[in-house]
Amino acid sequence: MHPENPDRRKLLKGALNTGVVTLGAMSFPNWMMPALAQGEVDVPFTDVPDTFNPQPVRPGATHFLDTRRINSFYTDNDDFYLVQHYGQPEVDNASYQLNVTGLVDRPLSFSLEQLRSRPVIEKDVGFECGGNGNRLFHGLIGNATWRGVSLRDILTEAGIQPEGKEVVFFGADIGEEEIRGRKVPKAFARSMSVEDAMNENNLLAFEMNGEPLPHFHGKPVRLLAPGWYGVANVKWLTQIHVQDTRYMGRFMGRDYVTLKREVVGGTERWVENSVAKMNLKSAIVRVTRNGNAHTVRGFVLNDGTPLRSVEVSIDNGPWQQATLDPEASQFSWKLFSFDWQGAQPGEHTLVSRVTDSNGRVQGTAEELPERVSYWEEFGQFPRRVMIGG
Ligand SMILES: Nc1nc2c(c(=O)[nH]1)N[C@H]1C(S)=C(S)[C@@H](COP(=O)(O)O)O[C@H]1N2
Ligand SMILES: [Mo]
């Protein structure tokens, strides 16, 4: 978001880690954190409960990014959020194999070396968990630069047969699922239509921010579907299977399934859908003060549709243009900042909204279709801050 000396950042992180070790679960109030730019200090949010206190990464655990701390376009690999449903399998690079099977003319098998010797694509991609939301201050989020190979090229080489309709991506992680009274071992898997899988942007990624893909992010290879919610990005990827029926697994058919009240061809119905492409969303995550100047910062995520504007409203006042970070690209997160003029002492409500080039506007939670459960939370997110006297 604003330039910062990386050594300094490391120092800050080190200090934070030490603090956590010695002080256990004690939380650090916002205003105790050192300033990030010369003279710049965080303005505390008053809507964050004491219980929201993201911790450093722990093996096996979900990890939240502390969005109040976002200060760079790329999220450090060791701070990028983590979600895994069946643990974090350690896959051996030397014996790794990716198999392409099913309704293809030529079943294929790749070692890591063979994948790495193919033409490499590099892309900035940001994403969030389909279960991210206000209650987590949007902490299941991150943005990185990824390197890998084209999924489309590999599927083209394998030759999808005309009957092939669905492409299933299997991870190496296996969990026991009880389905209709029977316990069975199931690999984490997600699927896409052939058309979606053949999208030229999809990567099989083996590098993240210039490093080999870290263990917890799917070493050695993961799928990366730019514009999709995180759940699509299958980690520890070992098999790609083409079939002529829909794939029905927990993460397509039962979990990561929304329930929304929508009008379907004139009839109001409760609609379930598998979490897929990201909805248009923005959120304010940070407010800082430098002297009397206040800056409001946040992020935008969507499916890659170009944006028209990001705006901020203060205390229900008029919408005012925010500035998008020029580093943003089609599938990265898009950080924005807004110069808040003449902020008066006292408590204030801030909210952002984003509009895309199709004219779609991020609505308030009340304007969006009624939604059951936390999947796909993308309404406006009003924040409260206290400006000191
Ligand atoms: N193999 C495998 N891939 C997976 C998952 C998983 O449990 N197993 N979780 C998914 C979900 S729900 C999310 S949100 C993203 C998180 O990716 P990250 O941990 O690298 O941020 O990975 C996805 N890929
Ligand atoms: Mo997720």
Side-chain angles (χ1 to χ4, degrees), residues 74 77 80 120-127 142-148 203 205-210 213-214 217 222 224 233:
Y74 296 115
N77 287 0
F80 199 104
V120 170
I121 300 174
E122 188 170 297
K123 228 182 247 304
D124 290 345
V125 181
F127 56 88
N143 185 67
T145 189
W146 310 83
R147 280 162 65 86
L203 287 186
F206 43 67
E207 274 183 32
M208 178 179 186
N209 290 328
L213 192 63
H217 292 288
R222 80 183 301 171
L224 206 63
N233 300 324

Side-chain angles (χ1 to χ4, degrees), residues 70-146:
I70 292 177
N71 59 10
S72 61
F73 179 63
Y74 296 115
T75 313
D76 286 356
N77 287 0
D78 58 7
D79 203 20
F80 199 104
Y81 88 95
L82 287 168
V83 171
Q84 48 279 314
H85 297 278
Y86 298 144
Q88 297 167 321
E90 178 93 61
V91 178
D92 176 46
N93 284 1
S95 58
Y96 174 77
Q97 283 229 311
L98 173 65
N99 296 315
V100 183
T101 58
L103 297 171
V104 292
D105 296 333
R106 287 165 295 278
L108 300 174
S109 188
F110 298 94
S111 67
L112 182 58
E113 275 319 297
Q114 286 168 328
L115 284 177
R116 293 194 67 108
S117 64
R118 298 174 66 88
V120 170
I121 300 174
E122 188 170 297
K123 228 182 247 304
D124 290 345
V125 181
F127 56 88
E128 63 169 345
C129 178
N132 205 17
N134 299 348
R135 73 197 187 289
L136 305 170
F137 298 90
H138 301 280
L140 296 176
I141 190 174
N143 185 67
T145 189
W146 310 83

